[in-house]
Structure formats: C-alpha cells, structure tokens
Amino acid sequence: MTDFHPDRHRYGDAAAPVRIVEYGDFQCPGCKMLAPVLKQVVDESGGRIQLVFRHFPVFEVHPFALTAALAAEASGTRFWEMHDQLFAHQNNLDDDALAECARRAGVEGAVTGLQAQPYKGGVSADYTRGIDEGVRATPGLFINGSRYEGTFDLKALRAATADR
C-alpha cells in the first residue's frame, strides 16, 4: 500500500522555506497552463521554494480527471514525469491514452483499471483536504498556508513568493 502523506508529491527542496501547494485537475486547462510556470518558479528559486501537488479532480466537469489522478498516483516515483505527460495530452485521457502517457513517463506496469484502485485513498484524501481548506475550483494555490488569490503568471507568482 502507498503512503498517502499530503505532501507526497513534492517538487523542489523539502527544506525550502516557501511552500506552494497546488490543488489540481489533469483536465483543467488552467492547471495545464500553470504547471510549467510553477516549475519555473521553483527551478529559479535557488532552493527557496518547493511545490506540493494535491489532487482535486473536478469530475463533474472533467470526465477523465479521476482516472488521470489515479494513474498519476499509480506512477509512483515517476509522478512528476506522469504529471507532465498528462497535461501534455490533456485532451485525450482514456485508458489507452493513460497507458501511453505512462509508457512515455517511464512507468513500468499498469496505471489504470484494477491496478489503479489501491490509490483511490490518496486521491480522495487530497480532495477532502482541499474541500476542508476551501478549494472549490482548480487551480487552487496556497503559499505558506495562505490562499493565493493573484494571477497565475510568472511575474505575479515570483512577487507573491519573494517576501516570504
């Protein structure tokens, strides 16, 4: 069984003083546009910023969001590679496409169907935590525990994390 710690999908230095938490959905166009911006903010921070991704599949609007989240979870240590593949192929996330994304991400083994079901608890825990923190739509960002209400462009995110 997988550990479902809320910070299990971390990008950047775990000891970084600035922590961005994103609640995201792999079918959300805004999340797709934000993904490279967040990585750039972390990559250019000199180890000062970390990113934590949590699942918030808006399945009422995005029919493949939940299966994509499960596939990402099932990707294990290749989560970030799968994350990038899912956003790159956001318009087609049926089971065959998810398997192809996994192959491209270097994931060994199945990431759909019965093989993905053990990861449902992690996705559900992230979603519930998001609801409890007031997330109602994606992307939902928090910087050092405070909800970020600004724009999702590089300049604004750099400014929002500069004084932390």
Side-chain angles (χ1 to χ4, degrees):
M1 190 52 99
T2 302
D3 176 19
F4 296 129
H5 189 278
D7 294 348
R8 68 192 172 280
H9 302 304
R10 183 187 323 269
Y11 182 79
D13 186 347
V18 178
R19 184 168 164 256
I20 300 172
V21 174
E22 175 192 10
Y23 285 92
D25 172 329
F26 289 112
Q27 278 195 292
C28 167
C31 293
K32 178 181 179 174
M33 290 188 316
L34 180 60
V37 174
L38 288 173
K39 282 190 169 184
Q40 186 174 353
V41 167
V42 173
D43 290 344
E44 294 176 353
S45 75
R48 204 177 62 74
I49 301 172
Q50 62 175 297
L51 169 64
V52 174
F53 183 91
R54 294 185 185 150
H55 300 284
F56 200 83
V58 185
F59 48 86
E60 300 91 347
V61 178
H62 303 133
F64 295 105
L66 180 56
T67 55
L70 290 172
E73 282 293 306
S75 298
T77 60
R78 307 296 294 185
F79 172 83
W80 288 103
E81 292 85 354
M82 186 66 161
H83 167 278
D84 295 347
Q85 286 296 316
L86 293 170
F87 280 130
H89 302 282
Q90 182 179 72
N91 293 329
N92 182 15
L93 295 176
D94 63 18
D95 282 355
D96 290 339
L98 291 174
E100 181 58 22
C101 285
R103 186 192 65 73
R104 287 189 198 121
V107 176
E108 293 184 23
V111 295
T112 60
L114 293 176
Q115 292 82 0
Q117 291 308 304
Y119 301 95
K120 192 183 256 183
V123 174
S124 179
D126 284 355
Y127 187 85
T128 299
R129 186 177 184 108
I131 292 290
D132 292 347
E133 292 181 2
V135 176
R136 298 294 178 259
T138 57
L141 288 186
F142 293 82
I143 299 175
N144 284 355
S146 297
R147 179 187 292 278
Y148 174 73
E149 299 288 350
T151 60
F152 296 130
D153 62 90
L154 186 60
K155 183 178 178 183
L157 286 166
R158 280 181 180 152
T161 57
D163 59 352
R164 308 267 176 158

